[in-house]
Amino acid sequence: MAMLHIAAAAVFAQTSIKVEVPNVVAADEQFNLTFIIEDASPSDFSWNAGDDFQVVWGPQKGTSSYTSIVNGKRSHTSQYTYTYVLMPRKTGTFTISQASATVKGKTITSPASTIIQVVSGEASSSQGSSSSRSSSAADGSQSSSGQSSNPGSISGEDLFLRFSLSRTSVVTGQPVTASLKLYQRVNIAGFEDVKFPTFNGFWSQETYAPSNVEFQRESFDDKIYNTAVLRTWTLIPQQAGSIRIDPAEIVCLVNVRTGSAPRSILDSFFQSDYTTVRKRVTSDPCTIRVSALPSGAPASFGGGVGTFSIKARVSRDSLKTHDAASLILTVSGKGNISLLEAPKVSFPPDFEQYDVKVTDAVDKSSGGLSGSKTFEYPFIPRSGGDFTIAPVAYSWYDTAQGKYVTAQTDPIVIKVEKTSAAESAADNPAPIAAGTLRKDVKTLGEDIRFIVTGHPDLHRSGSLFFGSALFIVLLGLISAGAAAAYLLLRLSRTRRADIAGSRRRGAGKMARKRLTRAGVLLKEGLYTAFYEELHRALIGFISDKLSINLSDMSKETIQDTLVAEGVSSAVAESLTGLLDACEYARYSPDSGHEAMNAHYETALSVISSIDASLKTRKTGAHGAGAAILCLTALLTLASLDADAEQAYPDSLWTAGVEAYSEGRWSDAEKDWTAVAGLGVISTELEYNLGNVYFKTGDYARAVLHYERALKLDPSFGDARFNLALTQNYVRDKIDSVPEFFLRQWGRKLSYAMSCDAWAVAFLLLLALALALAVVFLLGGSPAVRRATFFGAIASLLLSLCCLGCAASQKADRAKNDSAVIMAPVTSAKSSPGGGTAKDLFVLHEGTKVRILDRIGDWQNIELADGRRGWLPTSDMEII
């Protein structure tokens, strides 16, 4: 419950009121102001327009929701909007007052900094939103100032290009930001024949090149335009003087009004009032005055113009002779980063140098004017001693100070240990990679892998998913689901083949579409067209729903058939009355909007009543069997969950993990042994106990618990690694008898995953095989049937392989035929009992044996090399 409250608080904390409004509007323009609240149902919404705006209409409340299912995860979002239509009262810059609403008992508000500019000029003819493309002329209206009085002509004030520069007076190498922007107050349909400047005399780089032109509202010269940035560049002049930038050109496809007013409604329907005109637009040429850099540049000048800093470091400050290292210099700042040259570095004598590696890290958000440039100088010292890399000086021209600035790094001391060339891997004449010298990883020591710190999967001994009640239930559900899918798909195919039935099922939907068209005609006041569409909707509905041919249709037939199908006489009479009214209206004068609206509402009611009456008769309890099956499965799972409930020893497990991490082996053993005493087992618990016994030096018990962990999960790689390492401390070394390779491969395959993982894979592959079988049985084309047939066979074979691996592991897990010698020393006898039995061989603690037979307190064991003997039961422990 606490987690639920926290989640609810987090959702509330993210709830706020968003505002959508144009950033600039005209003084005589009506515009929309929309407040948006997401993922929360508001109440008590309020907003005051103040004295700056007049509310023309609103608020209009709207709601929308969206539900998505991705990878089985369902997400739902909702949105509530409040829309106002406003008219400015005066020009200026104003702040939209805050709106407030109540969500879940708490008040939320809109931002207090929403600014809108009102200008005296007229709005552009394309009234798009602030971030949308210019709208087309399909709405049939255009501002009088949007185009000149001449039909088909476009004024230069309504469509033009502007090429702007961040500065027009610079020095050589000083970056300049250039942008090309299109201003328009017309309806643009597209572009062609675009020509950008060539920038002769500059080093240039595009920093913004949109694939889709997006327009935004902007006020220019007290008029509102839709503007779009077409390109931005970073320009770095390479020569002094006045450099001219040629104009940019673009051909705009503009929808303009032809100027002829329609003479009738048919003219506006069959003829377009707009035509597309090609308008070539050019920007004005620009000139940048470039001054040469002052004379007297330092020797360390690297071509930089701006503000920079330099840092130095070495990849290794202590190394041996013939080892490779790198000096790394990083120049960062703001300016012409891309044109910086490598600093000059003076290395100590007998340092072998290699080519410089350069890496750029330019900040694209700054237009390429800021960032860093890294220079890596690989070197190899060929003699030992203490060496110093002298400070590296680097100079640039600071435009803010108007002079050259020099910075230098600190001296770097490198200690080189003297070694012989034979001892160094670098004594190879082959080229050495920059900054690296590859060597084999040297092993310093061996130890077991660390314990499992996460919560273990504790369960009762002998409980496996494979073969459990849940496994059987899932197997039955998969089989039943495949059978149900086959029957449903076959039924669906039959229904699709039933043309009359399809028409009958879609009669209501088709009638509502026709009634929607009739509703549009009703709003337009088209008397005859309305009743014709209403008549077609009623006749079509009855024909499809009752499967009556139009030639056999009469009012008596319709009424008798409806009554026979269970529809009330009143509804049937209402339908025939509507048909009479429609036929009468087609040949009589206009009876008024009220009568048309009454007939429309009656038609809606009659069709809904007939559709509901016919569906009621055909509705059955088709889902009863499925509901009973699902309920049974849920009850079974619930009973399984109830049986699985147990006291989870979380505190004991955590205490053991903490004790092991702190090196308190005995405390960790005590805690985890207490967990095992609760009658539960897990792979992680056995593995951790093995680690504890290894640390305490009890290698026999370590082997025992690692073997138990692998018996529970043969795919546990850490347990197998630790077991192999622990066996190095076992005194007995026994060579195993070679196993037949097919049997060995089968065991490796079976041990690739745990028993439960194989069981899950079996269910998934079986479900896939059954699904492909269903597609094969219902497939149409031979190619589909052939592909699904072989796919189903392959999936079935793979599922049987998984089933065999799971069954093999379960059988191995059920066996108790392996043990570990726990006595420090024991002798294998030739027969059970003491007395006359001979000693065959001696075994020590930690050795694994296989049990063949048992007589009394004696076990007949077999070693991995095939030797057999009898040992006392007390000298060993079953795995």
Side-chain angles (χ1 to χ4, degrees):
M1 184 61 71
M3 292 295 293
L4 183 61
H5 290 318
I6 292 174
V11 172
F12 177 77
Q14 297 176 356
T15 302
S16 61
I17 302 179
K18 297 180 182 179
V19 182
E20 286 186 357
V21 65
N23 58 338
V24 57
V25 296
D28 59 347
E29 178 186 4
Q30 296 183 6
F31 62 96
N32 290 346
L33 169 63
T34 304
F35 297 96
I36 303 173
I37 302 174
E38 295 182 345
D39 297 328
S41 178
S43 61
D44 299 332
F45 178 87
S46 64
W47 177 73
N48 184 12
D51 300 328
D52 301 325
F53 301 94
Q54 174 187 355
V55 178
V56 179
W57 178 77
Q60 173 64 41
K61 182 179 179 181
T63 61
S64 63
S65 62
Y66 175 75
T67 301
S68 65
I69 301 176
V70 179
N71 295 330
K73 183 177 181 181
R74 183 186 183 95
S75 61
H76 178 80
T77 59
S78 59
Q79 188 179 83
Y80 299 82
T81 60
Y82 297 86
T83 303
Y84 294 82
V85 178
L86 305 180
M87 172 76 78
R89 298 183 185 271
K90 52 187 176 182
T91 60
T93 302
F94 307 100
T95 301
I96 301 296
S97 60
Q98 288 183 287
S100 63
T102 302
V103 175
K104 298 181 180 179
K106 296 190 178 182
T107 302
I108 59 174
T109 59
S110 61
S113 58
T114 305
I115 306 298
I116 184 171
Q117 182 183 5
V118 181
V119 298
S120 58
E122 297 177 346
S124 67
S125 62
S126 53
Q127 300 289 340
S129 64
S130 61
S131 61
S132 63
R133 296 217 33 189
S134 57
S135 60
S136 66
D139 56 354
S141 63
Q142 188 158 333
S143 171
S144 60
S145 66
Q147 300 172 4
S148 63
S149 58
N150 248 347
S153 64
I154 303 170
S155 168
E157 295 182 355
D158 297 329
L159 181 63
F160 58 92
L161 276 174
R162 287 191 67 204
F163 186 86
S164 58
L165 300 168
S166 60
R167 53 177 68 90
T168 57
S169 180
V170 296
V171 298
T172 305
Q174 183 176 3
V176 178
T177 300
S179 63
L180 182 64
K181 184 181 288 188
L182 177 66
Y183 290 74
Q184 57 94 358
R185 291 162 50 86
V186 294
N187 293 320
I188 294 181
F191 307 94
E192 62 184 18
D193 196 18
V194 181
K195 296 181 180 179
F196 296 115
T198 56
F199 304 116
N200 295 323
F202 293 89
W203 178 92
S204 63
Q205 182 180 23
E206 281 187 353
T207 56
Y208 178 71
S211 56
N212 295 319
V213 179
E214 294 184 355
F215 286 93
Q216 294 184 346
R217 277 192 160 203
E218 183 177 326
S219 174
F220 179 77
D221 198 16
D222 207 24
K223 293 181 180 179
I224 299 177
Y225 290 86
N226 287 327
T227 66
V229 177
L230 304 182
R231 287 290 189 280
T232 61
W233 298 268
T234 295
L235 308 178
I236 301 178
Q238 302 295 293
Q239 62 189 32
S242 295
I243 305 178
R244 183 178 186 270
I245 300 177
D246 295 330
E249 292 185 1
I250 185 173
V251 175
C252 300
L253 306 180
V254 184
N255 291 330
V256 298
R257 204 165 198 165
T258 58
S260 58
R263 290 168 293 181
S264 68
I265 189 173
L266 294 180
D267 289 341
S268 62
F269 181 80
F270 291 100
Q271 299 179 6
S272 173
D273 297 338
Y274 292 84
T275 185
T276 301
V277 176
R278 286 173 170 79
K279 173 71 175 179
R280 184 177 297 275
V281 185
T282 61
S283 64
D284 294 330
C286 297
T287 301
I288 298 181
R289 293 182 299 275
V290 183
S291 303
L293 290 173
S295 59
S300 58
F301 178 68
V305 178
T307 304
F308 303 96
S309 63
I310 184 171
K311 294 181 181 180
R313 65 181 179 88
V314 290
S315 59
R316 300 167 61 188
D317 57 358
S318 179
L319 61 160
K320 298 180 180 181
T321 55
H322 312 294
D323 283 351
S326 294
L327 171 66
I328 301 173
L329 297 177
T330 302
V331 180
S332 58
K334 187 175 182 180
N336 56 347
I337 291 286
S338 300
L339 300 184
L340 296 179
E341 299 173 0
K344 297 180 177 63
V345 179
S346 177
F347 284 95
D350 208 19
F351 270 46
E352 190 172 322
Q353 305 171 35
Y354 296 90
D355 295 336
V356 181
K357 179 182 178 182
V358 182
T359 304
D360 288 328
V362 180
D363 185 7
K364 295 184 179 179
S365 63
S366 64
L369 301 181
S370 64
S372 65
K373 198 167 188 177
T374 302
F375 305 89
E376 183 177 357
Y377 299 77
F379 64 90
I380 297 178
R382 294 305 185 184
S383 59
D386 294 339
F387 301 92
T388 301
I389 298 179
V392 178
Y394 196 71
S395 302
W396 61 87
Y397 183 80
D398 194 328
T399 54
Q401 302 182 37
K403 63 178 183 180
Y404 291 100
V405 177
T406 301
Q408 65 179 15
T409 64
D410 296 329
I412 300 176
V413 178
I414 300 177
K415 295 181 179 181
V416 181
E417 181 182 350
K418 186 176 181 179
T419 59
S420 64
E423 295 175 347
S424 176
D427 192 25
N428 192 326
I432 298 176
T436 61
L437 181 62
R438 299 178 62 86
K439 293 183 179 180
D440 293 334
V441 178
K442 184 178 180 180
T443 301
L444 301 179
E446 288 185 337
D447 196 5
I448 58 174
R449 293 178 181 175
F450 198 64
I451 59 172
V452 176
T453 58
H455 294 306
D457 181 20
L458 296 176
H459 53 273
R460 295 291 177 184
S461 177
S463 62
L464 282 174
F465 169 68
F466 178 68
S468 64
L470 178 59
F471 177 82
I472 300 301
V473 169
L474 291 177
L475 183 60
L477 289 177
I478 291 174
S479 303
Y486 171 74
L487 295 176
L488 289 176
L489 291 174
R490 187 170 182 179
L491 178 61
S492 177
R493 173 185 289 183
T494 304
R495 294 186 66 183
R496 287 195 302 268
D498 185 8
I499 299 177
S502 299
R503 292 181 57 189
R504 183 164 55 253
R505 289 187 293 271
K509 184 176 180 181
M510 181 60 68
R512 290 182 180 86
K513 287 185 179 179
R514 290 170 175 169
L515 287 178
T516 301
R517 291 196 293 268
V520 174
L521 297 174
L522 172 63
K523 292 180 181 178
E524 295 177 355
L526 301 177
Y527 180 80
T528 304
F530 166 75
Y531 278 105
E532 288 179 353
E533 189 64 30
L534 187 62
H535 186 268
R536 281 195 293 268
L538 295 172
I539 290 297
F541 175 74
I542 293 302
S543 176
D544 293 341
K545 201 70 177 178
L546 300 180
S547 300
I548 302 176
N549 294 328
L550 294 177
S551 58
D552 299 333
M553 190 173 294
S554 64
K555 297 175 185 177
E556 294 77 11
T557 303
I558 294 173
Q559 189 166 357
D560 294 342
T561 306
L562 286 175
V563 173
E565 291 290 338
V567 180
S568 63
S569 301
V571 174
E573 292 175 358
S574 298
L575 176 63
T576 54
L578 272 176
L579 293 175
D580 291 337
C582 291
E583 293 177 356
Y584 175 77
R586 295 167 65 182
Y587 307 102
S588 63
D590 190 343
S591 60
H593 187 272
E594 290 77 6
M596 294 168 64
N597 190 63
H599 290 151
Y600 179 76
E601 296 295 336
T602 303
L604 285 174
S605 176
V606 167
I607 289 177
S608 299
S609 299
I610 294 174
D611 205 10
S613 299
L614 296 178
K615 284 183 178 180
T616 302
R617 293 190 62 192
K618 298 180 180 181
T619 300
H622 299 295
I628 294 174
L629 181 60
C630 292
L631 181 60
T632 303
L634 290 175
L635 291 177
T636 303
L637 293 178
S639 63
L640 291 174
D641 290 338
D643 294 339
E645 289 182 356
Q646 55 183 328
Y648 186 77
D650 182 65
S651 59
L652 290 174
W653 174 266
T654 304
V657 171
E658 294 177 356
Y660 186 93
S661 302
E662 297 171 0
R664 296 183 282 111
W665 319 122
S666 59
D667 293 341
E669 176 190 355
K670 179 180 177 181
D671 292 330
W672 288 332
T673 303
V675 174
L678 295 176
V680 294
I681 60 173
S682 77
T683 304
E684 298 84 358
L685 178 59
E686 298 294 342
Y687 171 77
N688 284 9
L689 283 171
N691 280 17
V692 166
Y693 289 121
F694 180 89
K695 291 296 185 181
T696 58
D698 192 349
Y699 301 119
R701 293 201 173 274
V703 170
L704 175 67
H705 287 282
Y706 287 143
E707 290 284 359
R708 287 177 175 174
L710 290 172
K711 189 173 183 179
L712 294 175
D713 184 5
S715 63
F716 194 2
D718 287 353
R720 195 170 297 280
F721 175 86
N722 288 1
L723 175 62
L725 185 61
T726 306
Q727 286 174 341
N728 295 331
Y729 296 88
V730 176
R731 186 171 178 178
D732 297 330
K733 181 181 179 181
I734 303 173
D735 296 329
S736 301
V737 176
E739 191 177 21
F740 185 54
F741 72 96
L742 291 179
R743 185 181 181 89
Q744 185 179 8
W745 291 352
R747 178 177 290 104
K748 287 184 178 180
L749 176 62
S750 176
Y751 290 172
M753 295 192 300
S754 65
C755 179
D756 288 345
W758 283 118
V760 173
F762 162 71
L763 292 177
L764 294 177
L765 289 171
L766 179 62
L768 177 61
L770 292 177
L772 292 174
V774 170
V775 177
F776 167 75
L777 293 175
L778 299 176
S781 64
V784 172
R785 290 175 58 85
R786 184 165 51 252
T788 53
F789 173 77
F790 288 108
I793 294 298
S795 300
L796 181 60
L797 292 177
L798 289 175
S799 67
L800 293 177
C801 179
C802 294
L803 180 64
C805 292
S808 175
Q809 274 200 39
K810 185 176 182 181
D812 291 343
R813 187 170 176 178
K815 294 179 181 178
N816 292 321
D817 60 349
S818 298
V820 175
I821 303 299
M822 306 304 296
V825 179
T826 184
S827 297
K829 305 292 184 179
S830 61
S831 61
T836 60
K838 289 185 178 182
D839 293 336
L840 300 179
F841 46 85
V842 176
L843 297 177
H844 299 84
E845 60 180 348
T847 302
K848 180 182 178 182
V849 298
R850 189 164 71 95
I851 300 175
L852 301 177
D853 194 8
R854 177 174 180 175
I855 297 177
D857 295 332
W858 290 83
Q859 305 278 358
N860 186 14
I861 59 96
E862 182 181 35
L863 300 182
D865 59 5
R867 287 181 288 176
R868 297 183 180 184
W870 291 85
L871 291 176
T873 304
S874 58
D875 289 349
M876 66 184 70
E877 189 166 342
I878 304 297
I879 297 175

